[in-house]
Amino acid sequence: MATTTKVPRRFAPLNPGSSSDAPKLQGIVFDMDGTLCEPQNYMFGEMRAALGITKAIDIIDHMNSLPVEEQAAAHAAVQQIERAAMAKQAPQPGLDALMRYLDARAVPKAICTRNFDVPVDHLLTKFLAYTTFAPVVTREFDPPKPSPAGILHIAKQWELQRQKQDDVEAAAAATASADATGLIMVGDSIDDMTAGRAAGAATVLLVNEANKELAEHAHTDLVISRLDELVDILENGFQGRTFETS
């Protein structure tokens, strides 16, 4: 079977004294749990126990598939686990340095998470009150990651659009659609990498012991072990890894 070398994703350096023919970075989308704050993976086992499901079943998909009269109780049970974990939130190493750098370089920031809004608001208020993320896409947005819809919604809110020729009426004017190709999705899960790739964004994996197998995944463009590693990467020009696909 023939192999194809994937062209690495690139963005121009944010250093204002640099010149580059690479595309300009338009913004960064962050996951929350395991990305902006340290992982709280124990929650997922507690959630599945509360819902009576196995690891093979997606928690959000399961809750949304329940009869309407059962959904509220299921969501409340999961939210209670998240509220309890919220008190133990700890910022990721390098969080403050990266956020202050992005603000200094005027890089737009957004959040796309499968958490509900209360833990997100808690994190932002406690650790990131000095900066702004907008929009913030939480579990209430449907469909959630790994769908690219949340990231494309962010691109639309930032008025990032591409012009696409209508296939049916070739002579008609081009129609605008959300364009996430100028964005980076930073996360720690396969849902983050898949959503970012499907949206057209570059992807950055914040690697840890639980997700290290994703470092070589086809949907992962770059791997970091601390958030502040992105400072030098962005300052000098983002370049994703080169790898071959079958």
Side-chain angles (χ1 to χ4, degrees):
M1 183 178 293
T3 59
T4 303
T5 300
K6 179 182 177 296
V7 177
R9 295 297 305 273
R10 298 171 61 226
F11 291 109
L14 295 184
N15 184 337
S18 299
S19 62
S20 173
D21 61 355
K24 178 184 176 182
L25 176 65
Q26 302 289 338
I28 301 183
V29 181
F30 292 91
D31 173 50
M32 190 196 80
D33 183 53
T35 302
L36 295 177
C37 64
E38 292 187 346
Q40 295 180 297
N41 295 334
Y42 64 88
M43 285 194 300
F44 303 128
E46 294 179 1
M47 291 173 185
R48 289 189 168 92
L51 297 173
I53 60 175
T54 67
K55 190 175 181 179
I57 299 175
D58 184 88
I59 293 167
I60 296 178
D61 287 348
H62 172 75
M63 292 192 295
N64 292 338
S65 72
L66 292 171
V68 174
E69 63 273 15
E70 297 178 20
Q71 289 187 18
H75 280 279
V78 167
Q79 289 175 4
Q80 182 55 39
I81 292 168
E82 288 176 282
R83 288 178 189 273
M86 183 174 74
K88 303 176 184 177
Q89 280 179 344
Q92 277 283 359
L95 174 66
D96 186 68
L98 176 59
M99 296 304 116
R100 294 188 185 279
Y101 169 76
L102 295 177
D103 287 350
R105 292 287 185 250
V107 177
K109 307 186 301 299
I111 291 174
C112 186
T113 177
R114 286 164 59 98
N115 291 85
F116 86 115
D117 57 346
V118 173
V120 178
D121 291 343
H122 179 267
L123 178 84
L124 296 179
T125 300
K126 186 171 182 180
F127 301 114
L128 294 165
Y130 59 85
T131 191
T132 300
F133 293 82
V136 175
V137 175
T138 63
R139 185 184 304 152
E140 285 67 32
F141 185 93
D142 186 56
K145 296 178 296 186
S147 167
I151 299 171
L152 292 172
H153 170 76
I154 291 166
K156 183 177 181 181
Q157 293 298 303
W158 285 346
E159 299 183 346
L160 302 177
Q161 297 180 328
R162 75 177 111 206
Q163 298 297 315
K164 182 171 67 174
Q165 192 68 28
D166 192 304
D167 292 332
V168 178
E169 299 179 28
T175 57
S177 60
D179 182 6
T181 57
L183 305 183
I184 295 173
M185 174 70 210
V186 182
D188 70 313
S189 73
I190 185 59
D191 289 342
D192 299 323
M193 300 299 100
T194 298
R197 175 56 52 85
T203 58
V204 173
L205 176 72
L206 182 57
V207 73
N208 57 51
E209 279 300 311
N211 68 11
K212 57 187 178 182
E213 75 281 355
L214 298 178
E216 299 299 323
H217 197 281
H219 294 171
T220 301
D221 286 308
L222 195 68
V223 180
I224 58 174
S225 58
R226 286 175 54 101
L227 286 177
D228 53 2
E229 290 175 22
L230 275 176
V231 173
D232 285 343
I233 291 169
L234 297 175
E235 185 73 355
N236 296 301
F238 178 99
Q239 179 157 326
R241 65 194 180 99
T242 301
F243 55 91
E244 294 183 343
T245 58
S246 298

